[in-house]
Amino acid sequence: MTIEHINPESMTSNPAFSQGTIAPAGRTLYIGGQNGIDANGDVIADKAEQVAQAMRNVLTVLEAAGAEKTDVAKLTIYLHADLTADEGYGAVLPIWGRTPTAVTVVQVAAFARPGVVCEIDAIATLA
C-alpha cells in the first residue's frame, strides 16, 4: 500500500523525512523497539555500528512481514544522551536512505539494557 507524504508548502522541506504521513486503511505492523544487537543477542560495542544495526533490525522485521521501507508511516529513533541527533541519524541514513517517512528523534538518559545507545521503533502499513 502507498504511504501519502504530507509536506505543507508553508513549512520547511527535507528529503530525509516528511512532516506527516497518511497510511491507507488495512493491516498495520507495529515494530517494537529494536536495539543494536546481533543475531546472538549481544550488544554491539561500537556506538555508530550499534545504531546502524538497530536500523537493520527494523528492516529485518519489515521484510519478515512482507513490507519495505516505503511502507513505513512513522519511525521513532531514541538515542542515548551520549549521542547527538546528527551522530545517530548519520549512522541510520546510509541504511535507511532518503525514504521520507515521518520521523521523531529523541535523546534519553538511559535504556533498560546496559550498553545500549539506540532504540528504533516503526509503524508500517501492510497490503
Side-chain angles (χ1 to χ4, degrees), residues 42-92:
D42 297 322
V43 176
I44 294 172
D46 180 79
K47 291 178 182 180
E49 180 55 28
Q50 189 182 136
V51 175
Q53 184 61 43
M55 181 52 75
R56 285 192 290 271
N57 290 343
V58 168
L59 295 178
T60 298
V61 176
L62 282 169
E63 182 180 355
E68 300 177 0
K69 293 187 290 187
T70 55
D71 297 315
V72 173
K74 176 76 166 69
L75 279 175
T76 305
I77 302 170
Y78 302 90
L79 300 172
H80 191 278
D82 289 346
L83 292 175
T84 67
D86 287 343
E87 288 173 317
Y89 202 70
V92 166

mmCIF file of all heavy atoms in Angstrom, residues 42-92:
data_model
loop_
_atom_site.group_PDB
_atom_site.id
_atom_site.type_symbol
_atom_site.label_atom_id
_atom_site.label_comp_id
_atom_site.label_asym_id
_atom_site.label_seq_id
_atom_site.Cartn_x
_atom_site.Cartn_y
_atom_site.Cartn_z
ATOM 1 N N ASP A 42 23.760 -10.144 21.387
ATOM 2 C CA ASP A 42 24.824 -9.364 22.021
ATOM 3 C C ASP A 42 24.788 -7.915 21.552
ATOM 4 O O ASP A 42 24.613 -7.641 20.360
ATOM 5 C CB ASP A 42 26.201 -9.968 21.691
ATOM 6 C CG ASP A 42 26.355 -11.385 22.240
ATOM 7 O OD1 ASP A 42 25.866 -11.641 23.362
ATOM 8 O OD2 ASP A 42 26.957 -12.223 21.544
ATOM 9 N N VAL A 43 24.996 -6.985 22.487
ATOM 10 C CA VAL A 43 25.048 -5.567 22.158
ATOM 11 C C VAL A 43 26.346 -5.281 21.417
ATOM 12 O O VAL A 43 27.429 -5.681 21.859
ATOM 13 C CB VAL A 43 24.967 -4.698 23.440
ATOM 14 C CG1 VAL A 43 25.119 -3.224 23.108
ATOM 15 C CG2 VAL A 43 23.656 -4.946 24.168
ATOM 16 N N ILE A 44 26.248 -4.590 20.296
ATOM 17 C CA ILE A 44 27.425 -4.223 19.508
ATOM 18 C C ILE A 44 28.147 -3.092 20.235
ATOM 19 O O ILE A 44 27.521 -2.119 20.680
ATOM 20 C CB ILE A 44 27.013 -3.819 18.083
ATOM 21 C CG1 ILE A 44 26.443 -5.057 17.384
ATOM 22 C CG2 ILE A 44 28.167 -3.195 17.315
ATOM 23 C CD1 ILE A 44 25.811 -4.796 16.056
ATOM 24 N N ALA A 45 29.461 -3.197 20.371
ATOM 25 C CA ALA A 45 30.240 -2.242 21.167
ATOM 26 C C ALA A 45 30.345 -0.864 20.522
ATOM 27 O O ALA A 45 30.166 0.160 21.195
ATOM 28 C CB ALA A 45 31.634 -2.812 21.441
ATOM 29 N N ASP A 46 30.630 -0.814 19.226
ATOM 30 C CA ASP A 46 30.806 0.468 18.539
ATOM 31 C C ASP A 46 29.468 1.196 18.455
ATOM 32 O O ASP A 46 28.471 0.642 17.964
ATOM 33 C CB ASP A 46 31.373 0.235 17.140
ATOM 34 C CG ASP A 46 31.576 1.524 16.378
ATOM 35 O OD1 ASP A 46 32.579 2.211 16.634
ATOM 36 O OD2 ASP A 46 30.701 1.846 15.540
ATOM 37 N N LYS A 47 29.422 2.441 18.939
ATOM 38 C CA LYS A 47 28.159 3.175 19.010
ATOM 39 C C LYS A 47 27.518 3.399 17.646
ATOM 40 O O LYS A 47 26.323 3.180 17.466
ATOM 41 C CB LYS A 47 28.362 4.516 19.721
ATOM 42 C CG LYS A 47 28.647 4.359 21.188
ATOM 43 C CD LYS A 47 28.892 5.715 21.849
ATOM 44 C CE LYS A 47 29.234 5.529 23.309
ATOM 45 N NZ LYS A 47 29.470 6.804 23.977
ATOM 46 N N ALA A 48 28.281 3.845 16.666
ATOM 47 C CA ALA A 48 27.726 4.093 15.329
ATOM 48 C C ALA A 48 27.230 2.793 14.705
ATOM 49 O O ALA A 48 26.151 2.746 14.098
ATOM 50 C CB ALA A 48 28.750 4.772 14.429
ATOM 51 N N GLU A 49 27.983 1.721 14.864
ATOM 52 C CA GLU A 49 27.575 0.432 14.305
ATOM 53 C C GLU A 49 26.343 -0.098 15.037
ATOM 54 O O GLU A 49 25.480 -0.734 14.440
ATOM 55 C CB GLU A 49 28.720 -0.581 14.376
ATOM 56 C CG GLU A 49 28.388 -1.946 13.807
ATOM 57 C CD GLU A 49 27.867 -1.945 12.372
ATOM 58 O OE1 GLU A 49 28.200 -1.041 11.584
ATOM 59 O OE2 GLU A 49 27.097 -2.865 12.031
ATOM 60 N N GLN A 50 26.243 0.198 16.335
ATOM 61 C CA GLN A 50 25.071 -0.229 17.100
ATOM 62 C C GLN A 50 23.800 0.452 16.573
ATOM 63 O O GLN A 50 22.765 -0.193 16.414
ATOM 64 C CB GLN A 50 25.264 0.113 18.585
ATOM 65 C CG GLN A 50 24.223 -0.481 19.462
ATOM 66 C CD GLN A 50 24.390 -0.113 20.920
ATOM 67 O OE1 GLN A 50 23.395 0.218 21.545
ATOM 68 N NE2 GLN A 50 25.584 -0.170 21.464
ATOM 69 N N VAL A 51 23.907 1.753 16.275
ATOM 70 C CA VAL A 51 22.767 2.474 15.708
ATOM 71 C C VAL A 51 22.406 1.892 14.341
ATOM 72 O O VAL A 51 21.231 1.656 14.040
ATOM 73 C CB VAL A 51 23.064 3.987 15.603
ATOM 74 C CG1 VAL A 51 21.936 4.716 14.897
ATOM 75 C CG2 VAL A 51 23.310 4.583 16.985
ATOM 76 N N ALA A 52 23.419 1.655 13.524
ATOM 77 C CA ALA A 52 23.184 1.075 12.196
ATOM 78 C C ALA A 52 22.521 -0.300 12.313
ATOM 79 O O ALA A 52 21.592 -0.616 11.565
ATOM 80 C CB ALA A 52 24.497 0.980 11.425
ATOM 81 N N GLN A 53 22.970 -1.114 13.276
ATOM 82 C CA GLN A 53 22.383 -2.454 13.447
ATOM 83 C C GLN A 53 20.935 -2.358 13.917
ATOM 84 O O GLN A 53 20.098 -3.162 13.494
ATOM 85 C CB GLN A 53 23.208 -3.286 14.434
ATOM 86 C CG GLN A 53 22.704 -4.711 14.591
ATOM 87 C CD GLN A 53 22.741 -5.496 13.288
ATOM 88 O OE1 GLN A 53 23.711 -5.417 12.546
ATOM 89 N NE2 GLN A 53 21.696 -6.260 13.010
ATOM 90 N N ALA A 54 20.620 -1.394 14.754
ATOM 91 C CA ALA A 54 19.225 -1.212 15.182
ATOM 92 C C ALA A 54 18.333 -0.974 13.964
ATOM 93 O O ALA A 54 17.242 -1.547 13.852
ATOM 94 C CB ALA A 54 19.118 -0.062 16.184
ATOM 95 N N MET A 55 18.811 -0.155 13.018
ATOM 96 C CA MET A 55 18.020 0.099 11.809
ATOM 97 C C MET A 55 17.951 -1.150 10.937
ATOM 98 O O MET A 55 16.905 -1.459 10.377
ATOM 99 C CB MET A 55 18.588 1.280 11.022
ATOM 100 C CG MET A 55 17.779 1.594 9.768
ATOM 101 S SD MET A 55 16.002 1.815 10.034
ATOM 102 C CE MET A 55 15.973 3.426 10.771
ATOM 103 N N ARG A 56 19.041 -1.887 10.836
ATOM 104 C CA ARG A 56 18.996 -3.139 10.070
ATOM 105 C C ARG A 56 18.001 -4.118 10.699
ATOM 106 O O ARG A 56 17.305 -4.840 9.985
ATOM 107 C CB ARG A 56 20.395 -3.762 9.968
ATOM 108 C CG ARG A 56 21.300 -3.043 8.971
ATOM 109 C CD ARG A 56 22.555 -3.834 8.658
ATOM 110 N NE ARG A 56 23.472 -3.902 9.772
ATOM 111 C CZ ARG A 56 24.439 -3.014 10.023
ATOM 112 N NH1 ARG A 56 24.613 -1.969 9.229
ATOM 113 N NH2 ARG A 56 25.231 -3.175 11.060
ATOM 114 N N ASN A 57 17.904 -4.119 12.016
ATOM 115 C CA ASN A 57 16.950 -4.998 12.683
ATOM 116 C C ASN A 57 15.514 -4.587 12.354
ATOM 117 O O ASN A 57 14.649 -5.446 12.155
ATOM 118 C CB ASN A 57 17.185 -5.009 14.197
ATOM 119 C CG ASN A 57 18.476 -5.717 14.566
ATOM 120 O OD1 ASN A 57 19.050 -6.462 13.781
ATOM 121 N ND2 ASN A 57 18.955 -5.458 15.771
ATOM 122 N N VAL A 58 15.245 -3.281 12.262
ATOM 123 C CA VAL A 58 13.925 -2.807 11.840
ATOM 124 C C VAL A 58 13.633 -3.318 10.431
ATOM 125 O O VAL A 58 12.545 -3.832 10.161
ATOM 126 C CB VAL A 58 13.837 -1.260 11.891
ATOM 127 C CG1 VAL A 58 12.591 -0.745 11.180
ATOM 128 C CG2 VAL A 58 13.860 -0.772 13.333
ATOM 129 N N LEU A 59 14.607 -3.201 9.538
ATOM 130 C CA LEU A 59 14.415 -3.664 8.157
ATOM 131 C C LEU A 59 14.171 -5.171 8.106
ATOM 132 O O LEU A 59 13.392 -5.652 7.276
ATOM 133 C CB LEU A 59 15.617 -3.283 7.297
ATOM 134 C CG LEU A 59 15.847 -1.787 7.089
ATOM 135 C CD1 LEU A 59 17.099 -1.556 6.257
ATOM 136 C CD2 LEU A 59 14.654 -1.126 6.455
ATOM 137 N N THR A 60 14.806 -5.919 8.992
ATOM 138 C CA THR A 60 14.613 -7.366 9.036
ATOM 139 C C THR A 60 13.180 -7.717 9.432
ATOM 140 O O THR A 60 12.563 -8.613 8.845
ATOM 141 C CB THR A 60 15.616 -8.008 10.020
ATOM 142 O OG1 THR A 60 16.948 -7.749 9.544
ATOM 143 C CG2 THR A 60 15.414 -9.517 10.135
ATOM 144 N N VAL A 61 12.632 -6.995 10.407
ATOM 145 C CA VAL A 61 11.246 -7.232 10.817
ATOM 146 C C VAL A 61 10.296 -6.852 9.673
ATOM 147 O O VAL A 61 9.333 -7.566 9.390
ATOM 148 C CB VAL A 61 10.904 -6.472 12.114
ATOM 149 C CG1 VAL A 61 9.435 -6.638 12.474
ATOM 150 C CG2 VAL A 61 11.782 -6.947 13.263
ATOM 151 N N LEU A 62 10.580 -5.713 9.018
ATOM 152 C CA LEU A 62 9.759 -5.316 7.865
ATOM 153 C C LEU A 62 9.726 -6.420 6.817
ATOM 154 O O LEU A 62 8.666 -6.806 6.329
ATOM 155 C CB LEU A 62 10.301 -4.022 7.231
ATOM 156 C CG LEU A 62 9.998 -2.718 7.918
ATOM 157 C CD1 LEU A 62 10.825 -1.594 7.300
ATOM 158 C CD2 LEU A 62 8.509 -2.389 7.839
ATOM 159 N N GLU A 63 10.901 -6.912 6.475
ATOM 160 C CA GLU A 63 10.998 -7.957 5.448
ATOM 161 C C GLU A 63 10.233 -9.210 5.870
ATOM 162 O O GLU A 63 9.526 -9.817 5.061
ATOM 163 C CB GLU A 63 12.467 -8.298 5.186
ATOM 164 C CG GLU A 63 12.654 -9.335 4.102
ATOM 165 C CD GLU A 63 14.118 -9.680 3.852
ATOM 166 O OE1 GLU A 63 15.008 -9.060 4.455
ATOM 167 O OE2 GLU A 63 14.346 -10.593 3.035
ATOM 168 N N ALA A 64 10.345 -9.591 7.131
ATOM 169 C CA ALA A 64 9.657 -10.791 7.614
ATOM 170 C C ALA A 64 8.134 -10.640 7.513
ATOM 171 O O ALA A 64 7.430 -11.634 7.345
ATOM 172 C CB ALA A 64 10.059 -11.079 9.062
ATOM 173 N N ALA A 65 7.646 -9.405 7.572
ATOM 174 C CA ALA A 65 6.211 -9.147 7.463
ATOM 175 C C ALA A 65 5.779 -8.885 6.024
ATOM 176 O O ALA A 65 4.607 -8.625 5.771
ATOM 177 C CB ALA A 65 5.838 -7.949 8.329
ATOM 178 N N GLY A 66 6.726 -8.931 5.088
ATOM 179 C CA GLY A 66 6.404 -8.683 3.685
ATOM 180 C C GLY A 66 6.304 -7.208 3.347
ATOM 181 O O GLY A 66 5.651 -6.843 2.369
ATOM 182 N N ALA A 67 6.950 -6.374 4.140
ATOM 183 C CA ALA A 67 6.899 -4.926 3.926
ATOM 184 C C ALA A 67 8.275 -4.392 3.528
ATOM 185 O O ALA A 67 9.283 -5.097 3.626
ATOM 186 C CB ALA A 67 6.410 -4.229 5.194
ATOM 187 N N GLU A 68 8.273 -3.136 3.087
ATOM 188 C CA GLU A 68 9.506 -2.445 2.687
ATOM 189 C C GLU A 68 9.586 -1.104 3.405
ATOM 190 O O GLU A 68 8.623 -0.667 4.033
ATOM 191 C CB GLU A 68 9.496 -2.212 1.179
ATOM 192 C CG GLU A 68 9.420 -3.481 0.363
ATOM 193 C CD GLU A 68 9.330 -3.202 -1.136
ATOM 194 O OE1 GLU A 68 9.327 -2.028 -1.542
ATOM 195 O OE2 GLU A 68 9.252 -4.179 -1.893
ATOM 196 N N LYS A 69 10.725 -0.433 3.265
ATOM 197 C CA LYS A 69 10.906 0.890 3.877
ATOM 198 C C LYS A 69 9.795 1.853 3.475
ATOM 199 O O LYS A 69 9.339 2.652 4.292
ATOM 200 C CB LYS A 69 12.255 1.503 3.482
ATOM 201 C CG LYS A 69 13.450 0.782 4.021
ATOM 202 C CD LYS A 69 14.743 1.514 3.740
ATOM 203 C CE LYS A 69 15.129 1.494 2.295
ATOM 204 N NZ LYS A 69 16.475 2.065 2.054
ATOM 205 N N THR A 70 9.374 1.779 2.228
ATOM 206 C CA THR A 70 8.364 2.711 1.734
ATOM 207 C C THR A 70 6.988 2.467 2.340
ATOM 208 O O THR A 70 6.090 3.285 2.177
ATOM 209 C CB THR A 70 8.270 2.650 0.200
ATOM 210 O OG1 THR A 70 8.015 1.285 -0.194
ATOM 211 C CG2 THR A 70 9.550 3.162 -0.453
ATOM 212 N N ASP A 71 6.811 1.372 3.068
ATOM 213 C CA ASP A 71 5.555 1.086 3.749
ATOM 214 C C ASP A 71 5.516 1.671 5.162
ATOM 215 O O ASP A 71 4.493 1.604 5.838
ATOM 216 C CB ASP A 71 5.319 -0.431 3.838
ATOM 217 C CG ASP A 71 5.182 -1.070 2.475
ATOM 218 O OD1 ASP A 71 4.467 -0.501 1.628
ATOM 219 O OD2 ASP A 71 5.788 -2.138 2.247
ATOM 220 N N VAL A 72 6.633 2.234 5.614
ATOM 221 C CA VAL A 72 6.721 2.778 6.974
ATOM 222 C C VAL A 72 6.092 4.159 7.011
ATOM 223 O O VAL A 72 6.468 5.054 6.265
ATOM 224 C CB VAL A 72 8.186 2.820 7.463
ATOM 225 C CG1 VAL A 72 8.300 3.545 8.800
ATOM 226 C CG2 VAL A 72 8.737 1.403 7.567
ATOM 227 N N ALA A 73 5.132 4.317 7.920
ATOM 228 C CA ALA A 73 4.467 5.607 8.108
ATOM 229 C C ALA A 73 5.166 6.443 9.173
ATOM 230 O O ALA A 73 5.134 7.670 9.120
ATOM 231 C CB ALA A 73 3.008 5.397 8.512
ATOM 232 N N LYS A 74 5.825 5.792 10.142
ATOM 233 C CA LYS A 74 6.427 6.537 11.253
ATOM 234 C C LYS A 74 7.587 5.769 11.849
ATOM 235 O O LYS A 74 7.495 4.574 12.092
ATOM 236 C CB LYS A 74 5.354 6.767 12.336
ATOM 237 C CG LYS A 74 5.837 7.441 13.610
ATOM 238 C CD LYS A 74 6.042 8.926 13.391
ATOM 239 C CE LYS A 74 6.191 9.722 14.669
ATOM 240 N NZ LYS A 74 7.416 9.465 15.394
ATOM 241 N N LEU A 75 8.694 6.471 12.053
ATOM 242 C CA LEU A 75 9.859 5.953 12.772
ATOM 243 C C LEU A 75 10.054 6.800 14.021
ATOM 244 O O LEU A 75 9.876 8.028 13.976
ATOM 245 C CB LEU A 75 11.146 6.119 11.959
ATOM 246 C CG LEU A 75 11.508 5.153 10.865
ATOM 247 C CD1 LEU A 75 12.768 5.636 10.158
ATOM 248 C CD2 LEU A 75 11.718 3.759 11.411
ATOM 249 N N THR A 76 10.453 6.166 15.105
ATOM 250 C CA THR A 76 10.918 6.907 16.275
ATOM 251 C C THR A 76 12.297 6.370 16.611
ATOM 252 O O THR A 76 12.480 5.154 16.749
ATOM 253 C CB THR A 76 9.969 6.741 17.475
ATOM 254 O OG1 THR A 76 8.653 7.124 17.079
ATOM 255 C CG2 THR A 76 10.411 7.625 18.639
ATOM 256 N N ILE A 77 13.258 7.272 16.697
ATOM 257 C CA ILE A 77 14.641 6.908 16.982
ATOM 258 C C ILE A 77 14.999 7.499 18.338
ATOM 259 O O ILE A 77 14.978 8.723 18.514
ATOM 260 C CB ILE A 77 15.595 7.437 15.891
ATOM 261 C CG1 ILE A 77 15.189 6.889 14.523
ATOM 262 C CG2 ILE A 77 17.052 7.083 16.228
ATOM 263 C CD1 ILE A 77 15.927 7.542 13.349
ATOM 264 N N TYR A 78 15.294 6.626 19.279
ATOM 265 C CA TYR A 78 15.687 7.047 20.623
ATOM 266 C C TYR A 78 17.207 6.905 20.708
ATOM 267 O O TYR A 78 17.740 5.825 20.443
ATOM 268 C CB TYR A 78 15.033 6.163 21.680
ATOM 269 C CG TYR A 78 13.529 6.162 21.617
ATOM 270 C CD1 TYR A 78 12.854 5.226 20.836
ATOM 271 C CD2 TYR A 78 12.785 7.090 22.331
ATOM 272 C CE1 TYR A 78 11.469 5.212 20.768
ATOM 273 C CE2 TYR A 78 11.397 7.084 22.270
ATOM 274 C CZ TYR A 78 10.746 6.146 21.487
ATOM 275 O OH TYR A 78 9.372 6.139 21.424
ATOM 276 N N LEU A 79 17.876 7.983 21.079
ATOM 277 C CA LEU A 79 19.328 7.972 21.188
ATOM 278 C C LEU A 79 19.739 8.272 22.621
ATOM 279 O O LEU A 79 19.152 9.143 23.274
ATOM 280 C CB LEU A 79 19.945 9.034 20.271
ATOM 281 C CG LEU A 79 19.661 8.903 18.782
ATOM 282 C CD1 LEU A 79 20.180 10.122 18.042
ATOM 283 C CD2 LEU A 79 20.292 7.626 18.242
ATOM 284 N N HIS A 80 20.761 7.576 23.089
ATOM 285 C CA HIS A 80 21.315 7.869 24.412
ATOM 286 C C HIS A 80 21.864 9.286 24.397
ATOM 287 O O HIS A 80 22.328 9.777 23.361
ATOM 288 C CB HIS A 80 22.420 6.858 24.751
ATOM 289 C CG HIS A 80 22.848 6.932 26.170
ATOM 290 N ND1 HIS A 80 23.746 7.851 26.621
ATOM 291 C CD2 HIS A 80 22.457 6.192 27.243
ATOM 292 C CE1 HIS A 80 23.925 7.687 27.921
ATOM 293 N NE2 HIS A 80 23.150 6.683 28.320
ATOM 294 N N ALA A 81 21.833 9.943 25.540
ATOM 295 C CA ALA A 81 22.292 11.334 25.650
ATOM 296 C C ALA A 81 23.753 11.507 25.235
ATOM 297 O O ALA A 81 24.174 12.611 24.905
ATOM 298 C CB ALA A 81 22.081 11.846 27.077
ATOM 299 N N ASP A 82 24.528 10.411 25.203
ATOM 300 C CA ASP A 82 25.928 10.474 24.753
ATOM 301 C C ASP A 82 26.037 10.708 23.248
ATOM 302 O O ASP A 82 27.110 11.067 22.756
ATOM 303 C CB ASP A 82 26.663 9.176 25.081
ATOM 304 C CG ASP A 82 26.915 9.006 26.563
ATOM 305 O OD1 ASP A 82 26.761 9.995 27.319
ATOM 306 O OD2 ASP A 82 27.263 7.886 26.976
ATOM 307 N N LEU A 83 24.969 10.472 22.505
ATOM 308 C CA LEU A 83 24.977 10.651 21.049
ATOM 309 C C LEU A 83 24.180 11.899 20.681
ATOM 310 O O LEU A 83 23.119 12.145 21.236
ATOM 311 C CB LEU A 83 24.323 9.458 20.347
ATOM 312 C CG LEU A 83 25.031 8.115 20.387
ATOM 313 C CD1 LEU A 83 24.158 7.065 19.735
ATOM 314 C CD2 LEU A 83 26.364 8.186 19.684
ATOM 315 N N THR A 84 24.685 12.632 19.717
ATOM 316 C CA THR A 84 23.908 13.750 19.193
ATOM 317 C C THR A 84 22.941 13.214 18.140
ATOM 318 O O THR A 84 23.134 12.114 17.605
ATOM 319 C CB THR A 84 24.808 14.814 18.542
ATOM 320 O OG1 THR A 84 25.411 14.245 17.364
ATOM 321 C CG2 THR A 84 25.881 15.311 19.491
ATOM 322 N N ALA A 85 21.919 14.005 17.850
ATOM 323 C CA ALA A 85 20.977 13.603 16.799
ATOM 324 C C ALA A 85 21.717 13.426 15.479
ATOM 325 O O ALA A 85 21.411 12.503 14.706
ATOM 326 C CB ALA A 85 19.867 14.633 16.674
ATOM 327 N N ASP A 86 22.693 14.287 15.198
ATOM 328 C CA ASP A 86 23.457 14.164 13.952
ATOM 329 C C ASP A 86 24.238 12.855 13.903
ATOM 330 O O ASP A 86 24.297 12.203 12.868
ATOM 331 C CB ASP A 86 24.408 15.347 13.780
ATOM 332 C CG ASP A 86 23.687 16.625 13.409
ATOM 333 O OD1 ASP A 86 22.523 16.566 12.967
ATOM 334 O OD2 ASP A 86 24.293 17.702 13.564
ATOM 335 N N GLU A 87 24.863 12.464 15.026
ATOM 336 C CA GLU A 87 25.611 11.205 15.053
ATOM 337 C C GLU A 87 24.671 10.015 14.845
ATOM 338 O O GLU A 87 24.962 9.118 14.063
ATOM 339 C CB GLU A 87 26.326 11.030 16.393
ATOM 340 C CG GLU A 87 27.500 11.947 16.602
ATOM 341 C CD GLU A 87 28.057 11.840 18.008
ATOM 342 O OE1 GLU A 87 27.264 11.782 18.969
ATOM 343 O OE2 GLU A 87 29.293 11.825 18.131
ATOM 344 N N GLY A 88 23.559 10.029 15.555
ATOM 345 C CA GLY A 88 22.622 8.916 15.455
ATOM 346 C C GLY A 88 21.973 8.831 14.099
ATOM 347 O O GLY A 88 21.960 7.780 13.464
ATOM 348 N N TYR A 89 21.438 9.945 13.628
ATOM 349 C CA TYR A 89 20.781 9.943 12.331
ATOM 350 C C TYR A 89 21.802 9.707 11.223
ATOM 351 O O TYR A 89 21.494 9.071 10.221
ATOM 352 C CB TYR A 89 20.001 11.237 12.104
ATOM 353 C CG TYR A 89 18.911 11.065 11.079
ATOM 354 C CD1 TYR A 89 17.783 10.314 11.352
ATOM 355 C CD2 TYR A 89 19.036 11.615 9.807
ATOM 356 C CE1 TYR A 89 16.786 10.128 10.406
ATOM 357 C CE2 TYR A 89 18.039 11.441 8.862
ATOM 358 C CZ TYR A 89 16.928 10.693 9.162
ATOM 359 O OH TYR A 89 15.960 10.506 8.223
ATOM 360 N N GLY A 90 23.027 10.191 11.439
ATOM 361 C CA GLY A 90 24.093 9.959 10.465
ATOM 362 C C GLY A 90 24.411 8.486 10.287
ATOM 363 O O GLY A 90 24.730 8.035 9.185
ATOM 364 N N ALA A 91 24.302 7.709 11.366
ATOM 365 C CA ALA A 91 24.552 6.266 11.279
ATOM 366 C C ALA A 91 23.380 5.533 10.639
ATOM 367 O O ALA A 91 23.554 4.482 10.031
ATOM 368 C CB ALA A 91 24.830 5.700 12.676
ATOM 369 N N VAL A 92 22.174 6.098 10.760
ATOM 370 C CA VAL A 92 20.978 5.485 10.194
ATOM 371 C C VAL A 92 20.853 5.761 8.702
ATOM 372 O O VAL A 92 20.443 4.907 7.929
ATOM 373 C CB VAL A 92 19.720 6.002 10.939
ATOM 374 C CG1 VAL A 92 18.453 5.677 10.189
ATOM 375 C CG2 VAL A 92 19.678 5.435 12.341
#
